[in-house]
Amino acid sequence: MRTPRQEPKIQTVSLEEISMSDPYIYPDNKSHTYYLTGTGGRQYKSKDLKMWTGPYPIIVLSGTWMDGLFIAAAEIHHIGNKYYYAGTWSDHNTLIEQVPRRYNVPRNQTQLLVAIRRGAF
């Protein structure tokens, strides 16, 4: 069983204070808000690209097969009237390859999720 991570405190910080791998910014024209997401499954919001509020959990995975997995390189896309969340879920407890003295390759699965309610992002 995996130990749940402690929820980070939501706060407003400058862009320079955010450390995130594989960042992706989605500009929402309707709300004039920018959404920053990336590896880790968290999201920040900004009106000016300088000050950001977060990190917010972007999706609820508890009770699903993805519960506790690591989310890498997540992105938000708006196509038609739906929002999509694309990312790679990594199970670091299940290795598919081990290269001695170099690296381990966990089981990865790329998923494309669809928001089920309006304003989900």
Side-chain angles (χ1 to χ4, degrees):
M1 245 181 119
R2 296 177 188 101
T3 304
R5 295 182 189 163
Q6 185 178 7
E7 289 295 319
K9 180 182 173 187
I10 295 173
Q11 54 190 343
T12 300
V13 296
S14 68
L15 180 61
E16 291 80 21
E17 296 175 75
I18 298 174
S19 177
M20 179 184 291
S21 297
D22 306 311
Y24 182 86
I25 296 175
Y26 171 75
D28 183 44
N29 295 327
K30 287 184 181 180
S31 67
H32 303 286
T33 303
Y34 299 97
Y35 295 91
L36 169 65
T37 189
T39 294
R42 299 287 182 200
Q43 177 185 70
Y44 288 83
K45 301 175 185 180
S46 175
K47 294 287 188 178
D48 62 8
L49 293 173
K50 295 176 185 175
M51 298 303 293
W52 295 84
T53 302
Y56 298 98
I58 192 166
I59 56 176
V60 177
L61 299 175
S62 59
T64 72
W65 66 269
M66 296 180 281
D67 191 357
L69 297 183
F70 183 79
I71 304 167
E75 298 180 1
I76 299 169
H77 296 275
H78 184 220
I79 302 170
N81 62 351
K82 295 182 180 178
Y83 287 90
Y84 297 88
Y85 184 67
T88 300
W89 276 256
S90 299
D91 181 353
H92 290 273
N93 294 319
T94 305
L95 300 179
I96 60 171
E97 184 177 0
Q98 292 180 305
V99 180
R101 297 182 308 277
R102 295 201 59 209
Y103 57 84
N104 294 328
V105 179
R107 179 177 62 192
N108 295 308
Q109 298 180 41
T110 299
Q111 301 291 321
L112 181 62
L113 309 177
V114 180
I116 58 172
R117 68 175 193 266
R118 185 180 183 138
F121 298 113

